[in-house]
Amino acid sequence: MNKPTIFYPQTEAEFWQKAKEDAVLAIRETLQKQKVCRLGLAGGETPKHLYELLAEENLPWERIVIILIDERYVLSDHSESNLRMLREALLKKISLPPENILAFDTSSTRESAAEEMSRKLTKLGQERNPLFDCLILGAGADGHIASLFEGEEVLNSQELAALSQAKHSAVQERLTLTLKALENSSRAILLLKGSEKLAVVQTLEG
C-alpha cells in the first residue's frame, strides 16, 4: 500500500467534501478496470459521516463489496457495534446485496469469528490481488488504526484477521484485520480530524 496523502482542510465542510470525492473517485476508477470494487471500511466515529455522504451518491452498489475492517466483540445490535453504525450510516440507505458485505460474526466465539473472516479474505485474495481496492481508515488519538494497538501481539500476526485488545476502552475485546491484510490494498484514505491527531500526521509524514 502506498504512503497515504495527507490533506489539510481549511474547514469542516472542505474536509468531508474532499474525503467523499476521493472515495467516489477510487470506486469509479476501480470499476473501470474490475467487475467489483472491494472497499474496506473502518469502524469508529470518525468515518461515520463519510459513510452517510457516500449513501447519497449514485453508485453501482451491486458491484461493490464492503468489508468491515474492525469490530468490537458485542452483538451486532449493540450500541457499540461497528456493524450497527455502518448499517445506520450507509447500508440501510443503499441497495447492497447481502452477500456483498463481509463482517465479523460476533454471535460466535472471537476465535471462530477471526478464523472465518481470514478464510473469506484468503478466498478473495486467491481470486485476485490486491485484496482491497480502497481502504477508508480513521485513527485514534493514540495512533491506532483499525483495532491495531501499539505493543499488541496482533501487530505481528501472519493471519488476515485476528483478535485484539483495546485496554483503555469500554469494550476491550476486539476483532480486526491485520497489517498483512491492510497492506494488501491499492490505495487508502486516512481520515485524521482534531488537534489530538497531529502526532499521527507527523508520524506518517516522517
Side-chain angles (χ1 to χ4, degrees), residues 118-139:
S118 285
R119 185 189 65 77
K120 290 179 179 179
L121 294 178
T122 297
K123 182 179 179 182
L124 285 180
Q126 291 170 345
E127 293 172 1
R128 72 167 169 88
N129 269 300
L131 181 57
F132 292 98
D133 297 303
C134 183
L135 301 172
I136 295 177
L137 302 167

Side-chain angles (χ1 to χ4, degrees), residues 34 37 50 68 75 103 135 137 142 161 164 196 206:
Q34 305 287 352
C37 175
L50 177 55
L68 190 56
L75 294 178
L135 301 172
L137 302 167
D142 60 359
S164 179
E196 74 277 6

